[in-house]
Amino acid sequence: MVFSHKIRVRYAECDRMGFVHHSIYALYFEEARTEFLRNKSITYKELEDSGVIMPVREMGFKFLYAGKYDDLLTIEVTIPETPTLRCKFEYKTYNQDGLLLNEGFTELFFVKKETMKPIRIQPELFNKFLS
């Protein structure tokens, strides 16, 4: 499943060259990931309230072209493999003309908040990921 989320580039997110600063894409990816999960009836708040947190283990980017102020970006989010202990998200960012600007990924893992120990995904959460 591919989930798409749109974000308009704000002036404060650009560097002196007029490009979206590379660090901002981590925020864009987080927003798109959060909305992807919300679309599957999973919210970070509910997860955390149930005692499960999802820290980021790894993150990567490949930049092809620059986003610019006022561009309307579409961030496509996919989960390439079934989550168990970890959950990998892949991202592709396109501008309003359909040009692929960058690709990236984040890998998060499931942790019991009380003990800070990794845990396997809970069955009810697992089923939501598959829906």
Side-chain angles (χ1 to χ4, degrees):
M1 175 187 167
V2 176
F3 175 79
S4 295
H5 180 67
K6 294 196 180 298
I7 296 175
R8 175 85 54 192
V9 175
R10 295 168 288 246
Y11 187 78
E13 297 164 339
C14 297
D15 59 23
R16 288 185 57 167
M17 296 178 285
F19 303 145
V20 175
H21 192 271
H22 64 276
S23 65
I24 298 299
Y25 287 100
L27 298 173
Y28 289 170
F29 289 178
E30 180 179 23
E31 182 178 328
R33 180 176 68 245
T34 300
E35 293 306 316
F36 173 89
L37 293 173
R38 188 182 312 279
N39 183 260
K40 292 191 162 286
S41 300
I42 302 168
T43 68
Y44 276 117
K45 181 174 178 1
E46 290 171 346
L47 270 177
E48 291 176 359
D49 288 350
S50 76
V52 176
I53 58 175
M54 293 178 66
V56 174
R57 180 178 178 273
E58 189 176 355
M59 174 183 273
F61 300 90
K62 180 179 180 182
F63 297 97
L64 306 168
Y65 295 96
K68 299 178 182 129
Y69 169 66
D70 207 39
D71 278 355
L72 182 59
L73 305 180
T74 300
I75 300 175
E76 291 184 350
V77 184
T78 59
I79 297 178
E81 53 204 41
T82 305
T84 54
L85 236 73
R86 294 180 232 148
C87 187
K88 185 173 186 179
F89 295 86
E90 293 181 342
Y91 311 90
K92 290 184 179 182
T93 306
Y94 298 89
N95 69 7
Q96 64 277 350
D97 299 321
L99 180 66
L100 177 63
L101 302 180
N102 63 47
E103 299 175 318
F105 75 93
T106 53
E107 184 179 272
L108 292 83
F109 59 104
F110 301 97
V111 172
K112 188 170 185 175
K113 191 174 178 179
E114 293 172 0
T115 63
M116 296 304 288
K117 302 252 187 220
I119 58 172
R120 290 202 171 279
I121 188 171
Q122 300 160 334
E124 60 275 2
L125 185 58
F126 180 80
N127 291 332
K128 287 183 179 182
F129 270 98
L130 296 180
S131 65

